[in-house]
Amino acid sequence: MRRRLFWKLCATVAAGTVLLFWAINHLASHTEQRMSFIADEHQRSLVAYGRKAESLYLSGDEVALADWLRELQTQEDTWAAVVQSQLTPIAGSRLSQQFLEGFRLGRHVEWKIHLYFTENPIMDVTFADGHTHFLIRLPQRMRPGSMQPYIGPLLKVLLPLSLLILLSVVLYRHVMGPLRRLERATRQFSEGLYDVRVANDLGNRRDELTGLAESFDHMAERTGSLIRSQRHLIADLSHELRTPLTRIDMALSLSNHSNQQEILDRIKRDSAQMRALVEDSLTLAWLENERPQLDPEDLDLTDLIDSILDDARFEFPHHQITACLPDHARLCGSSQRLLGQALENIVRNALHYTPPGGQVSVTLTRQDEEYRIQISDQGPGVPEAELRSIFRPFYRVDRARHNEPRGYGLGLALALRQVEAVSGSLRAFNLAEGGLCMEIRLPCNSGNLEAPATEPQAV
């Protein structure tokens, strides 16, 4: 689902808001309910006043009852009285027993007190006879809800603030967890740990932050691969440059004791080798790191291969080069320059490792929507374990390909990147009868030409 994080945050905020209002309403209602009843000790005091008044009333000493009432009113700063209620039904009606038992002139001490009334209610303690009542306005000290002025701000400010802080913490942890992992991975990556990854640490989470982690992993994988590739390239290049530089130094040191023309020829030859090495290395780095966008063009594969094989026959007159090509093989949206260089490198490599008098075969076929070019030699082949390695820069299988190695091991590395630049693939495999076969697969319509830096696939 798109915008998962957005909807998760919306759902969390909505649920948190509903929970906040429910909690405020529930706690406010519950708290008000609890505060609306007279405390148990005050209820007992009111009942005791009623029983005292009933005792004095039953004794018949009205003077003592009056004195006690005056003293009670002064003590509690309120009003109190003992009254009788005479209920006389008329028009033939009668009073039910339930009504007579529950009839009161004031409120029972166990009833709820409405906190929003400014006047204190009249409390009623009914005597045993049912029609004499001790009435007293509830003393202020016994009025419930004394904490209401403090409970209101607590419920309206502190509770919402606490719940919002809790909600913020939940959202913060949910969002910052992956970001902290990204921060830690970025720091580790900057310290040289190029294998660090983030997406696997997020578990089953699938949202925008997971997409960010996957993008980071993709970036880290590609960047780490490029950095390691560049390190290997620089190390190999520096190693390969030492040999011609050493020969030049030796030639210069012997210039006073040898034939000058021979020395100059050697320096010229070594300089040309170094120039070719640097140019090939720069081309390889450009293809591998820059992902260049190339201008697409249409070409005929048959004509391109014919021209490359004509040059090869001239350069290697002691080898047999056979070709099995269709009359025409139109390739759309490709690059003649890159594809021609790749084919030339592969053909030269096959001729280098095929002994004089041996045969190099080139076949071009079409299967569905792709062309297949196979270039086979009669050399010693390559050990199966090293079929992937031959596409690495500066890699040479000297022991397996026992002829004297030529070049610097950049030909096949360049060919792989050049073929991939035109949306093709290149693989190598050994032939049952001996020798090595290079197979190029090209889509008939290459489309967008881009050079990805990927590892070669071997069979």
Side-chain angles (χ1 to χ4, degrees):
M1 182 174 63
R2 299 183 62 185
R3 297 185 177 179
R4 270 185 90 121
L5 180 61
F6 170 77
W7 292 114
K8 285 162 67 175
L9 293 179
C10 286
T12 304
V13 171
T17 303
V18 172
L19 176 63
L20 173 63
F21 283 110
W22 176 85
I24 292 175
N25 180 70
H26 175 74
L27 290 176
S29 175
H30 182 71
T31 303
E32 181 180 340
Q33 183 78 7
R34 291 289 299 272
M35 291 192 306
S36 298
F37 293 91
I38 301 173
D40 292 341
E41 63 270 19
H42 296 324
Q43 291 184 25
R44 289 192 292 269
S45 295
L46 292 173
V47 172
Y49 290 158
R51 297 294 170 254
K52 178 66 174 179
E54 184 177 10
S55 175
L56 292 173
Y57 171 75
L58 292 176
S59 68
D61 191 351
E62 291 189 6
V63 175
L65 177 58
D67 291 340
W68 178 81
L69 287 173
R70 282 193 298 270
E71 182 182 347
L72 177 62
Q73 291 178 96
T74 301
Q75 174 187 333
E76 296 289 355
D77 190 22
T78 187
W79 168 86
V82 176
V83 300
Q84 289 184 334
S85 60
Q86 300 294 331
L87 301 177
T88 305
I90 62 175
S93 58
R94 66 180 185 86
L95 300 176
S96 67
Q97 188 62 31
Q98 179 183 4
F99 175 80
L100 291 173
E101 291 175 356
F103 174 77
R104 297 180 182 279
L105 295 176
R107 302 182 67 81
H108 192 275
V109 295
E110 295 180 355
W111 290 1
K112 180 179 178 180
I113 307 299
H114 296 289
L115 304 180
Y116 303 106
F117 292 168
T118 57
E119 293 287 338
N120 287 354
I122 304 298
M123 309 308 297
D124 181 348
V125 180
T126 304
F127 293 175
D129 58 14
H131 58 266
T132 306
H133 308 267
F134 168 73
L135 302 179
I136 181 173
R137 179 179 288 113
L138 183 65
Q140 186 61 33
R141 70 180 183 88
M142 298 183 183
R143 182 182 177 94
S146 59
M147 296 298 294
Q148 187 181 16
Y150 308 100
I151 295 297
L154 181 67
L155 293 177
K156 295 178 181 178
V157 177
L158 187 57
L159 177 62
L161 183 61
S162 302
L163 289 177
L164 288 175
I165 290 176
L166 177 62
L167 179 63
S168 300
V169 169
V170 171
L171 294 177
Y172 179 81
R173 291 174 62 88
H174 186 72
V175 173
M176 288 304 298
L179 293 181
R180 284 201 186 95
R181 291 187 178 92
L182 277 171
E183 179 188 14
R184 183 169 60 252
T186 303
R187 185 168 57 252
Q188 292 173 341
F189 190 85
S190 67
E191 294 170 354
L193 300 176
Y194 303 126
D195 294 329
V196 64
R197 300 294 182 266
V198 181
N200 290 336
D201 296 336
L202 300 184
N204 295 325
R205 178 172 178 156
R206 290 292 178 269
D207 54 26
E208 289 86 337
L209 293 178
T210 307
L212 176 62
E214 291 172 350
S215 298
F216 172 85
D217 288 352
H218 179 73
M219 179 274 296
E221 182 178 0
R222 172 163 170 75
T223 304
S225 175
L226 292 180
I227 291 175
R228 285 189 289 266
S229 174
Q230 288 303 303
R231 287 178 177 177
H232 289 311
L233 183 62
I234 292 173
D236 293 340
L237 181 60
S238 62
H239 174 76
E240 295 292 343
L241 284 173
R242 288 194 186 102
T243 301
L245 287 174
T246 301
R247 289 201 298 264
I248 290 175
D249 288 340
M250 292 178 61
L252 290 175
S253 65
L254 296 174
S255 61
N256 294 327
H257 308 285
S258 304
N259 183 283
Q260 295 290 330
Q261 186 59 43
E262 181 181 353
I263 297 299
L264 291 175
D265 291 341
R266 175 171 291 277
I267 292 175
K268 182 178 180 181
R269 186 167 57 252
D270 289 338
S271 297
Q273 289 181 354
M274 285 192 297
R275 183 182 299 108
L277 174 62
V278 171
E279 289 177 354
D280 287 347
S281 299
L282 290 175
T283 302
L284 179 64
W286 175 69
L287 288 170
E288 192 168 59
N289 302 329
E290 300 299 330
R291 290 182 177 267
Q293 297 291 329
L294 308 174
D295 294 330
E297 58 182 324
D298 298 343
L299 57 100
D300 192 311
L301 271 179
T302 299
D303 292 343
L304 178 62
I305 295 174
D306 274 337
S307 63
I308 292 172
L309 296 184
D310 287 343
D311 293 340
R313 291 187 181 97
F314 178 80
E315 187 176 351
F316 295 87
H318 302 295
H319 290 73
Q320 298 180 31
I321 302 176
T322 62
C324 181
L325 309 174
D327 294 336
H328 300 283
R330 182 175 178 79
L331 182 63
C332 301
S334 187
S335 171
Q336 181 167 329
R337 180 173 63 87
L338 284 182
L339 192 54
Q341 291 175 356
L343 287 169
E344 186 175 356
N345 277 328
I346 296 173
V347 170
R348 284 177 178 274
N349 185 78
L351 290 167
H352 279 315
Y353 290 103
T354 297
Q359 178 176 290
V360 172
S361 302
V362 180
T363 61
L364 170 61
T365 58
R366 176 168 179 169
Q367 295 184 359
D368 298 328
E369 293 302 316
E370 70 174 12
Y371 289 110
R372 292 189 182 183
I373 305 173
Q374 290 187 336
I375 302 171
S376 305
D377 63 36
Q378 293 182 338
V382 174
E384 293 293 330
E386 300 185 49
L387 283 172
R388 292 172 61 91
S389 300
I390 62 175
F391 295 101
R392 284 167 35 195
F394 302 105
Y395 188 88
R396 288 172 295 204
V397 192
D398 292 346
R399 287 174 296 179
R401 313 274 277 183
H402 52 72
N403 288 0
E404 180 183 354
R406 298 173 175 83
Y408 295 94
L410 285 175
L412 292 182
L414 272 173
L416 173 68
R417 275 67 174 184
Q418 289 164 337
V419 169
E420 289 179 341
V422 294
S423 304
S425 64
L426 173 62
R427 68 173 186 140
F429 59 92
N430 289 307
L431 298 171
E433 64 273 15
L436 186 71
C437 179
M438 295 284 183
E439 183 180 73
I440 300 174
R441 295 188 179 190
L442 298 169
C444 296
N445 190 344
S446 298
N448 186 32
L449 300 185
E450 184 177 300
T454 57
E455 289 295 326
Q457 300 295 320
V459 184

